[in-house]
Amino acid sequence: MKAVVLTGIKQMELRDVPEPSIQKDTDVLLKIEMVGVCGSDVHYYETGRIGSQIVKYPYITGHECSATVKAVGSSVTRVKVGDAVAVDPAISCHNCAQCKLGRENTCYNLGFLGTPGQAEGCLCEYIVMPEECCYPTNGAITLEQAALCEPLSIGAYSVKQAKLSENANIAILGAGPIGLCTFVSAKAKHVNPVRKLEQGSKSRLQSEGQSFLSNGVNACYMTEKIEERIKAAKKAGATWVGNPDKQNIVKEILNKQPDGVDVAFECAGQQETIDQCVELLRPGGKLILIGIPRFERISLAIDKIRRKEITIINIRRQNKCVQKAMDLIASGKVNVDFMITHRFTLEQTQDAFCLVAEYRDGVVKALIEI
Ligand SMILES: [Zn+2]
Ligand SMILES: [Zn+2]
């Protein structure tokens, strides 16, 4: 099969590699249809690493994808041949202490697509995944939308972790794909139908309340440096969008929101935006760290954080939110189509990576059609 293989820093080649095959009865052979280019893929392309995760060449990257089921193992019931699916790139063991705590996203034996040392990626024609990672679209969303379920699931999970109160005032710093996915998730006024409580899980579900995401935000202030992304955030319905290169965004937001915001989502991974979040938060507010910094350490204005008694919440990808992301798109509560700005073929993958790396041509999400 054809695969795009990283061969060195800023080097990739289209190669012929062996096609994978079903090994376990729970495996599904998938024909990849669409792959979204993610900032983390570009980190690996440009620098060969993210923190302690270092690429060993040759290596196939990519983790945001939709696919069609080509073959299934003997015990697979969740999908059948021909089904279109969104793929959860995280293969967790369900056996370690973290999995047993329900924290599959920090599984000790995690195999995540396109993560060095864990699994090869999906920038190729075929991959094999366990059936539980395959989410059939049932025709409710397109293959392009299905490829956006993974980044949207991170936005949905971030909003869930923030436990927004009703009519919260929030700030989202950074309007790239993850910032926008966080915004559309927060905006989606989404109340779950009352679930039948399983025995024993009553107290947990009750403490989470019925609303899975938010009960609607009152105001959402966003900041971004790239003009096209500012326009995208405005079009998506942000209350106010500012450019920190051109204006004092902290002053302007605090003019509108003198007490500060309840929750600040950091989606840029920059020291500057982390500092701005701290300035923008009201006492007792929550700082949600989603962006991936390019450096190993950041500094925190601890005096301000302490005096304001700010809660810091880190987001590690997502946990059990892929189906939710798909439902949000299918129901029309969330629109992700406006984020897709560019489309490439597998042969043009390097062009797509360069475009995203350089933030050129107003790119938000670039998709590669396999
Ligand atoms: Zn991603
Ligand atoms: Zn595990």
Side-chain angles (χ1 to χ4, degrees), residues 37-41 63-64 112 150-151 154 178 365:
V37 179
C38 175
S40 60
D41 304 326
H63 61 271
E64 300 176 2
F112 196 93
E150 197 266 344
I154 295 172
I178 293 295
K365 181 57 76 182

Side-chain angles (χ1 to χ4, degrees), residues 293-309:
R294 285 192 176 223
F295 19 89
E296 277 180 34
R297 282 168 179 263
I298 51 156
S299 79
L300 294 170
I302 194 62
D303 189 51
K304 285 175 187 159
I305 289 174
R306 193 177 59 79
R307 281 171 200 279
K308 285 190 182 178
E309 203 177 31

Side-chain angles (χ1 to χ4, degrees), residues 140-196:
I141 64 171
T142 66
L143 287 167
E144 292 199 343
Q145 291 168 331
L148 268 91
C149 283
E150 197 266 344
L152 181 61
S153 71
I154 295 172
Y157 177 66
S158 304
V159 171
K160 183 181 179 231
Q161 295 301 88
K163 295 191 169 66
L164 297 179
S165 55
E166 208 162 326
N167 293 319
N169 297 305
I170 66 173
I172 300 175
L173 278 61
I178 293 295
L180 291 170
C181 282
T182 302
F183 172 65
V184 293
S185 299
K187 201 180 76 161
K189 199 167 179 171
H190 187 86
V191 179
N192 264 354
V194 179
R195 283 177 289 178
K196 240 186 149 182

Side-chain angles (χ1 to χ4, degrees), residues 161 264 266 274 277-278 281 284-290 298-302 304-306 309-315:
Q161 295 301 88
E266 200 290 321
I274 293 165
C277 284
V278 173
L281 281 164
K286 293 175 205 161
L287 167 58
I288 318 288
L289 296 175
I290 313 170
I298 51 156
S299 79
L300 294 170
I302 194 62
K304 285 175 187 159
I305 289 174
R306 193 177 59 79
E309 203 177 31
I310 285 169
T311 301
I312 302 176
I313 297 175
N314 279 283
I315 299 298

